[in-house]
Amino acid sequence: MPPRTTDSAPERRDDDQPRPDQETDGERSAERGSERAGLDSDGAGAKAGPGGDAAAEAGDGSRPDPVGGAGRGHGADPVPGAVGTGGADAPGRVARAAHGTHDRLRAESETGAEGERDGHGSPPSGNEGDTGAEGASGLHPPSGNGAGVESRVVAVRRAADGGRRWRAAHLAGCAALLAVALTGGAIAFGGTGDGRAGAGAEAVSAAGAPAAGVLARGDLDAGIGALQKHLRAQPRDFGSWATLGTAYVEQARTKGDPSRYPQAERALKRSLELEPGNDQALAGRAALAAARHDFTGALKDADRALRQNPYNERALCTRIDALVELGRYEDAAEAARTADDRRPGVPVFTRYAYVKELRGDVRTARDVLERALEAADSPGDIAYVATALGQLAWNQGEYKTALGHYARALAADEDYLPALEGRARAQAANGDRTAAVEGLEQVVARFPLPGPLVALGELYEDRGADGDRAKAGDQYALVDAWTSLARAGGVNADLDSAMAAADHGDKKEALRAARAEWNRRHSVHTADALAWALHVNGRDEEALPYARRATATGYRNAGFLYHRGIIERATGNDREARDHLTAALDLNPGFSPLGAREARTALKDLKGDR
């Protein structure tokens, strides 16, 4: 499975609990008056009058679940140098906290979901006059999920048929079809929650605000519906606007639907209009920036939120994410220690573990994740942490161990997409290709995201049955379609585009995208992507310094080692090439069906030349 990135961690909103010196949101709202926003008789829009736009914006929402992405960066020198790993710091505090804070993880009242750590640039400035129309668009969801999912799958397949030829006109059509499909799926999922009777009702407390724990338990649909209902009645509740905006970020992230980001932006803007500088909205805006891969903006907003409230968990976590994605690993490690001091809990522990993994300390990363799993007390947290353990094991070539962790994750949440994707990849690496193909087909049928699309395409290519080449082409075409849709939602998708196009698309476009991403951030992932894009364009001498930088932190990643070995072979560094290709296959021989095959062939040729 692709290395874990900061894109996949579900967050709670317990940082929204007011500090002792703060008034509650309800008290502030009461002091400001009791503005109400009415709805038209058919529920389709807001009536004119004070608060009308706000109520309309609260009208749209649906869905939960996960996706992945990749990226990182730092520095300005176009010729990369080694990234220092720094000294190892004692993980005792994290481990002790993870083991002993089970009762504290749900101590705060307000809960929710944090956005990914991948997003792009400044969000497009939306037309504020459109908020009512967009908000109203979710007031009439279809009564069931089936029609929406079916229509999305049909549209995705239609997109694949047109996109296989890689022409710009077809890609535009693909993006449009995929957007319609994802939007249709979003509406179809609206209001269904987890299918339990009364799921929506329990989300509203006696006071009308969302009950504690609803969003944390993973009932994102029900929680969003409850927030919408509450904000129609209390449109000046800035805290609930902040929570709603961040929930929309998570909804966009977990469903692979970037069209939600502008809606999240408006909800967060509304919160800041009502209460300028409030830390909840600033932290939500940081999460939105990260989801759009604007990590510089995410860091700025996270720092602003922490100046208001140094204990805001989401801001602490997003700050770690942004520093990791910018390639500032020493700073990220320090930010993780700070977050551990202030807000020990599952979200912080998982990030701490990832920072350790990036620096080559797999043992500590595993220990922290295992203790975090002991502390996890909700299905969402259990599924997330168990999946992180599965991905860590997969990266080390421990496929049976990985499958055990994925089984635990799916026992907690049978629909958790990262676990389903990870299980399929582990099955493929472990030799069960049939199960792997079936699993990835199920994943991409629901959410056609770049990672699983490329993985499925490569499995088709590796299998080589009748029609498999065309099927693989369909998957790669959909990556371009998703990229177009993501960019329309304000997401910087250059890293995803570079990684996919280098092997399965327009090589010149891969290099353009990789260079653009490197100009924004200098992480191990952007270094690897640029090295490989340069290689496939025949520029291996330029590629080698970047390939070396990608492996300089000690991060144990077979794909990076494979890329470095192939580039070293192309530049005549045969001994180093043998070392790194051997290391890649020793570490994780199933890291990629096509890449591993090429690595074995290259290694055989190198040994024959000795």
Side-chain angles (χ1 to χ4, degrees):
M1 185 170 189
R4 282 196 313 285
T5 68
T6 51
D7 294 347
S8 55
E11 300 306 336
R12 304 187 312 280
R13 283 311 311 268
D14 50 3
D15 55 275
D16 291 340
Q17 177 81 354
R19 299 194 303 278
D21 60 336
Q22 291 180 316
E23 299 173 285
T24 66
D25 298 344
E27 290 169 341
R28 292 179 188 269
S29 296
E31 290 174 3
R32 290 192 172 110
S34 56
E35 288 182 272
R36 293 293 186 273
L39 295 177
D40 294 335
S41 59
D42 63 356
K47 290 181 179 178
D53 288 346
E57 181 64 36
D60 188 13
S62 24
R63 335 171 297 203
D65 266 322
V67 310
R72 291 114 195 140
H74 158 27
D77 187 351
V79 179
V83 176
T85 59
D89 52 271
R93 181 170 60 254
V94 176
R96 288 194 300 273
H99 190 67
T101 58
H102 179 90
D103 294 334
R104 183 168 53 201
L105 291 174
R106 291 290 180 266
E108 269 69 49
S109 65
E110 188 69 21
T111 61
E114 179 195 28
E116 249 185 308
R117 318 113 198 159
D118 272 304
H120 163 55
S122 3
S125 53
N127 183 344
E128 294 309 310
D130 293 341
T131 56
E134 179 169 346
S137 68
L139 294 175
H140 298 288
S143 59
N145 294 356
V149 174
E150 182 178 353
S151 66
R152 176 169 54 190
V153 172
V154 170
V156 165
R157 294 307 161 206
R158 286 172 58 199
D161 291 340
R164 194 187 311 157
R165 289 180 290 276
W166 304 98
R167 294 178 184 170
H170 284 290
L171 292 178
C174 286
L177 287 169
L178 190 56
V180 171
L182 288 167
T183 304
I187 295 173
F189 278 103
T192 62
D194 58 6
R196 293 174 298 166
E202 73 166 352
V204 182
S205 68
V214 172
L215 295 179
R217 287 197 303 273
D219 299 338
L220 189 57
D221 295 351
I224 285 176
L227 284 165
Q228 293 167 349
K229 180 177 180 180
H230 171 68
L231 285 167
R232 291 187 187 100
Q234 298 286 345
R236 297 189 63 81
D237 182 349
F238 72 89
S240 290
W241 278 113
T243 302
L244 180 63
T246 310
Y248 283 149
V249 173
E250 179 69 2
Q251 197 172 61
R253 183 183 71 80
T254 58
K255 295 302 180 183
D257 181 3
S259 65
R260 292 289 181 185
Y261 291 137
Q263 192 172 5
E265 181 183 355
R266 281 190 287 272
L268 294 166
K269 181 179 180 181
R270 178 62 175 163
S271 176
L272 289 167
E273 287 172 347
L274 291 167
E275 184 67 18
N278 79 82
D279 66 284
Q280 297 173 36
L282 289 172
R285 200 164 70 176
L288 174 60
R292 282 170 154 166
H293 298 194
D294 174 16
F295 301 112
T296 300
L299 182 61
K300 179 180 177 181
D301 279 328
D303 283 340
R304 289 183 63 194
L306 291 171
R307 284 195 290 271
Q308 298 296 320
N309 176 9
Y311 296 91
N312 185 301
E313 183 181 66
R314 176 168 296 104
L316 287 166
C317 289
T318 302
R319 188 170 194 277
I320 302 169
D321 298 339
L323 290 167
V324 165
E325 298 293 346
L326 289 168
R328 295 169 55 180
Y329 301 123
E330 291 298 323
D331 292 338
E334 181 59 33
R337 288 189 288 268
T338 298
D340 177 37
D341 284 339
R342 295 179 186 176
R343 293 301 298 269
V346 169
V348 173
F349 302 154
T350 52
R351 287 166 169 83
Y352 186 98
Y354 186 51
V355 170
K356 301 301 284 187
E357 183 187 355
L358 284 170
R359 297 168 70 183
D361 190 353
V362 173
R363 183 175 180 178
T364 298
R366 181 183 291 114
D367 182 62
V368 172
L369 287 173
E370 286 173 349
R371 292 180 180 273
L373 188 58
E374 292 175 10
D377 63 353
S378 74
D381 280 351
I382 292 169
Y384 172 66
V385 180
T387 297
L389 277 164
Q391 292 173 341
L392 182 63
W394 184 90
N395 263 355
Q396 312 312 308
E398 301 166 0
Y399 306 134
K400 291 183 179 179
T401 300
L403 287 168
H405 289 308
Y406 292 132
R408 181 163 185 184
L410 293 169
D413 181 353
E414 64 183 4
D415 294 322
Y416 191 55
L417 284 177
L420 290 169
E421 180 186 346
R423 182 179 66 180
R425 291 178 184 269
Q427 287 168 333
N430 205 39
D432 191 354
R433 187 169 57 191
T434 300
V437 169
E438 291 177 354
L440 284 174
E441 285 175 341
Q442 292 172 7
V443 170
V444 302
R446 291 171 60 190
F447 305 110
L449 301 168
L453 285 168
V454 169
L456 180 57
E458 292 191 348
L459 281 176
Y460 284 142
E461 284 196 64
D462 187 54
R463 185 173 65 180
D466 289 345
D468 275 350
R469 182 170 294 278
K471 289 181 180 179
D474 289 346
Q475 312 314 308
Y476 305 145
L478 283 172
V479 173
D480 276 11
W482 180 90
T483 300
S484 295
L485 177 62
R487 286 173 175 155
V491 178
N492 165 26
D494 278 336
L495 186 59
D496 295 293
S497 176
M499 293 171 68
D503 286 322
H504 307 294
D506 184 335
K507 293 177 174 53
K508 290 183 179 179
E509 169 58 21
L511 182 55
R512 183 213 62 77
R515 283 199 186 281
E517 196 64 20
W518 180 257
N519 288 337
R520 283 186 284 266
R521 50 190 177 121
H522 291 187
S523 71
V524 292
H525 289 80
T526 51
D528 174 69
L530 181 52
W532 196 241
L534 285 164
H535 163 72
V536 299
N537 280 277
R539 301 168 70 167
D540 293 290
E541 293 293 343
E542 289 181 66
L544 187 54
Y546 295 98
R548 288 172 173 163
R549 177 155 184 167
T551 57
T553 67
Y555 180 37
R556 291 168 55 82
N557 184 292
F560 290 10
L561 292 168
Y562 153 66
H563 286 162
R564 178 170 175 174
I566 294 294
I567 292 168
E568 285 170 332
R569 182 192 180 202
T571 54
N573 296 283
D574 289 356
R575 183 172 61 83
E576 293 86 350
R578 283 192 297 271
D579 289 345
H580 289 110
L581 291 171
T582 299
L585 293 171
D586 286 347
L587 175 62
N588 183 0
F591 69 91
S592 160
L594 302 184
R597 185 170 66 191
E598 183 180 359
R600 288 191 294 270
T601 300
L603 191 56
K604 183 178 178 180
D605 292 343
L606 284 165
K607 288 180 178 178
D609 292 340
R610 294 178 67 176

